[in-house]
Structure formats: C-alpha cells, structure tokens
Amino acid sequence: MRMVAKIGQVTFDCRDGYTLSRFWTQVTGYTEVPDDPNLPEHSQHFIGPDGKHPGLLFINVPDAKTVKNRLHLDLVPDTTRDEEVERLLALGATVYEDHRKEDGTGWVTMLDPEGNEFCVERSEAERGRH
C-alpha cells in the first residue's frame, strides 16, 4: 500500500490575517468556511475553494516579515498575465520584479499587502494549452 500525505492548507504568518484573507479572497475567489466566517478579532483566518481544503490559512503573529519567502504561490490567471497583473495592482499588490520578455514569455513577481512574494505566470491560453 502506497502512503502519501495531502496538503491541507498553505499557512502564512502575518501581522493582519483578516486583511490578508480579504486580499487573497479577491485574488483567488476562495471563500471562508460558511459556518465559521473570518472576523477581524480572530487570530486565524482560513479561505479555500468553496470554503474547503486545501486552502490558505493566515495566522496573526507579532513579528514582521524580514526576509524573502522560502515558499511562494505561482498564479495562473484565467485572463492574460498582463491583465491579471493590472487587476492585482488595483487590489493592493505591488510589482517586485518584472521578468516579462519581449517574446511574451516570463512572469511577474509581486508582493501582497504584507510583502509576501508571489508570481503571476502566463495563462494556459498564452502558453498554447487550451
């Protein structure tokens, strides 16, 4: 019998988990658990696809982020990469490093409102994978 472990969630230590959960809800379309909504006074804030696992968990911690993340999310948008970058900028993300190339390949490394890195890749359509 083969034994494996499933990923239940990706956890972010953060200063304001409620605010980050709201940001990432807009980014991913994930939702809270219907019977356990996230409130500003909570110390943990979970969002997932239809409120289920695997998802993202934001835990309030007292210390600020000081170094580059060792783990980050790579987003593949439904729209184009460039349209997604513009949408995320409007939500409060910032561009950290722009790795787009003249031939249309590449990605953009962005920061969420607390400075956590994530990347926006090309969409499946842009990669020719319909």
Side-chain angles (χ1 to χ4, degrees), residues 15-69:
R15 283 292 192 78
D16 183 352
Y18 179 74
T19 298
L20 272 192
S21 74
R22 307 307 307 150
F23 171 80
W24 283 100
T25 293
Q26 294 176 72
V27 172
T28 63
Y30 286 4
T31 60
E32 306 170 336
V33 176
D35 299 344
D36 187 18
N38 295 325
L39 299 173
E41 61 270 16
H42 291 167
S43 62
Q44 298 184 14
H45 304 86
F46 176 82
I47 60 171
D50 297 320
K52 299 182 177 132
H53 293 269
L56 304 175
L57 178 65
F58 303 91
I59 297 177
N60 293 345
V61 297
D63 25 277
K65 180 182 179 299
T66 58
V67 297
K68 183 180 185 297
N69 295 4

Side-chain angles (χ1 to χ4, degrees), residues 12 22 31 48 52 56 74 80 95-96 98 113 119 128:
F12 291 79
R22 307 307 307 150
T31 60
K52 299 182 177 132
L56 304 175
D74 287 346
T80 69
V95 171
Y96 180 64
D98 194 331
C119 293

Side-chain angles (χ1 to χ4, degrees), residues 82-96:
D82 295 345
E83 289 171 325
E84 185 66 359
V85 167
E86 291 306 313
R87 184 180 81 87
L88 297 173
L89 288 169
L91 293 176
T94 55
V95 171
Y96 180 64

